[in-house]
Amino acid sequence: MFEKVESIKKQIEEAVANTKEELEDYRLKFISRKGVISELFADFKNVESKRKKEFGIALNTLKTQAENRFKKLIDQVNSTDSKRDSGIDLSLPPIPGQTGSLHPISIVKNRMIQIFERQGFNVTEGPEIEDDWHNFTALNFPENHPAREMQDTYFIRKDPDLLLRTHTSTVQIQLMQNENPPFRSIMPGRVYRNEAISARAHCFFHQVEGLYVDKNVGFKDLKQTLYHFAREFFGKDTQIRFRPSFFPFTEPSAEIDISCFICHGPGCKICKYTGWVEIGGSGMVDPDVLKNCNIDPDVYSGFAFGMGIERITMLKYQIDDIRLFSENDVRFLSQFE
Ligand code: PHE
């Protein structure tokens, strides 16, 4: 009999229960009235009388042990159950932190700055609210000249001499007025034009202006600088072409085209089946503009260029609607790294 008590004690110590079913098995085996311990109580009468007391104590101890163990097993099963019910699967790999990404305009602007910086250009910025002189007069736009109309200017109602700059060429003037040559600078920034908003045009956008003024700067320097930019930005086999144009502040002036980096010549939707895409305007700084900034045109010469960042970004990523850049839709913005 005593061996039986010992063996049941061992079974109780070793018993485990991970589920409600296993808990019930334990209860039936050790606690219930039909369990092994109750059976032992029935054997009481077979124990010789001088050991009855000893047996009774042993049985009662066993019963308490069985009940204590049962309580522990209940706690254990409940706690594993609550872990399961919380819906958290602790074996799953962690979700990486979601970081934001740069706006495509910033990505392209930074890349443009990087390419020009490697050619010795630094970065200059200027105000978005300007006066008529910096936006027009100093840049050789004659009073009442239709070119002023072409720029669709937003004037500030309280002071019609103030306006939202229509191009970053204003920063050329700021730079040349405030510092001494030589200058080799690029000037990124936001500009404003009173245009009807459509897929192709917006009332504000961004430009990168470039200015290089020194002794003996020639058209060849302009060509080489932009050729290098085009190859770095659009790919090594990019060709460049200059088309005669007009800007009041440059003479001669030229529109800059690059060979289509999508179809490489035969024509496609991006280049409108011409094999060439326009990326900006350029020219040699008009001597009168240098004079307006107290720079002697007999000593110094220079070139300038201007490119629209939205336009370059739309070409690069084949985006067909300029409005996407200012709508702040994360589904669009999160596509750029
Ligand atoms: N400022 C001109 C524009 O906005 C671009 C340009 C800049 C042209 C510099 C020539 C030289 O259209």
Side-chain angles (χ1 to χ4, degrees):
M1 285 307 155
F2 283 94
E3 292 95 74
K4 239 185 179 174
V5 173
E6 273 311 304
S7 105
I8 293 173
K9 190 177 160 197
K10 226 170 154 212
Q11 287 176 42
I12 289 171
E13 280 164 5
E14 287 167 5
V16 282
N18 291 316
T19 60
K20 292 226 162 88
E21 290 74 33
E22 285 172 354
L23 200 61
E24 179 61 5
D25 289 346
Y26 177 96
R27 193 190 67 79
L28 288 173
K29 188 165 177 192
F30 299 107
I31 312 280
S32 78
R33 276 208 267 133
K34 286 179 185 150
V36 284
I37 298 178
S38 299
E39 261 173 34
L40 276 182
F41 274 99
D43 283 342
F44 205 76
K45 54 183 186 301
N46 304 328
V47 178
E48 45 182 321
S49 39
K50 64 172 183 224
R51 297 197 74 183
K52 271 203 171 32
K53 189 176 174 198
E54 194 191 338
F55 187 65
I57 293 171
L59 270 190
N60 278 326
T61 315
L62 187 66
K63 200 178 161 204
T64 321
Q65 275 174 345
E67 282 164 2
N68 288 345
R69 181 88 188 131
F70 187 50
K71 276 184 206 146
K72 273 208 184 123
L73 292 178
I74 291 175
D75 286 348
Q76 217 170 294
V77 169
N78 281 347
S79 79
T80 42
D81 257 20
S82 68
K83 259 183 227 151
R84 232 175 264 142
D85 290 349
S86 68
I88 298 170
D89 183 346
L90 298 174
S91 66
L92 282 177
I95 300 163
Q98 302 249 309
T99 47
S101 54
L102 284 178
H103 193 284
I105 295 298
S106 300
I107 295 173
V108 169
K109 181 182 88 177
N110 292 345
R111 176 79 184 119
M112 291 173 84
I113 290 175
Q114 188 186 44
I115 295 170
F116 285 110
E117 272 181 346
R118 287 189 188 153
Q119 296 194 79
F121 285 76
N122 61 12
V123 177
T124 308
E125 286 181 333
E128 291 181 16
I129 297 180
E130 270 291 8
D131 53 25
D132 177 278
W133 193 79
H134 285 87
N135 201 81
F136 293 122
T137 310
L139 286 160
N140 224 15
F141 285 80
E143 203 91 17
N144 302 321
H145 192 277
R148 293 191 183 215
E149 293 297 309
M150 269 159 54
Q151 299 260 349
D152 296 315
T153 313
Y154 282 117
F155 289 94
I156 305 228
R157 199 180 290 158
K158 277 194 180 155
D159 182 354
D161 187 46
L162 289 182
L163 47 85
L164 296 176
R165 67 180 177 194
T166 60
H167 52 177
T168 41
S169 301
T170 52
V171 192
Q172 286 186 38
I173 304 300
Q174 293 278 1
L175 185 63
M176 290 196 282
Q177 249 196 323
N178 297 326
E179 286 171 44
N180 295 320
F183 305 107
R184 204 194 289 197
S185 205
I186 54 163
M187 298 150 257
R190 183 176 283 184
V191 300
Y192 301 82
R193 288 187 195 176
N194 186 6
E195 295 204 33
I197 297 170
S198 70
R200 301 247 124 232
H202 212 293
C203 59
F204 68 83
F205 55 99
H206 301 78
Q207 289 185 330
V208 168
E209 189 91 359
L211 177 72
Y212 181 19
V213 174
D214 203 345
K215 290 169 184 159
N216 298 318
V217 176
F219 202 86
K220 62 183 188 310
D221 302 303
L222 168 62
K223 278 174 125 175
Q224 183 56 39
T225 304
L226 291 170
Y227 182 47
H228 178 78
F229 166 76
R231 281 163 47 98
E232 284 294 300
F233 193 89
F234 291 104
K236 285 275 172 266
D237 52 358
T238 308
Q239 295 299 308
I240 192 160
R241 170 176 98 165
F242 288 83
R243 264 181 305 113
S245 184
F246 171 79
F247 300 102
F249 39 93
T250 47
E251 183 59 37
S253 304
E255 223 83 55
I256 317 153
D257 289 349
I258 57 162
S259 56
C260 183
F261 53 94
I262 301 293
C263 67
H264 300 281
C268 67
K269 226 177 115 195
I270 295 283
C271 63
K272 300 200 190 90
Y273 304 94
T274 64
W276 296 92
V277 278
E278 186 196 315
I279 59 165
S282 65
M284 299 307 294
V285 181
D286 192 297
D288 283 341
V289 173
L290 295 175
K291 268 191 234 158
N292 289 340
C293 302
N294 297 320
I295 294 169
D296 186 350
D298 293 330
V299 181
Y300 290 100
S301 57
F303 68 74
F305 59 86
M307 290 185 265
I309 306 183
E310 273 80 355
R311 176 160 176 80
I312 303 255
T313 311
M314 288 168 83
L315 288 172
K316 172 104 182 160
Y317 295 107
Q318 294 173 48
I319 298 164
D320 58 8
D321 194 328
I322 197 171
R323 291 169 292 199
L324 287 166
F325 294 120
S326 48
E327 278 168 359
N328 280 339
D329 186 332
V330 272
R331 291 170 301 180
F332 170 71
L333 296 175
S334 61
Q335 295 176 56
F336 304 88
E337 305 223 354

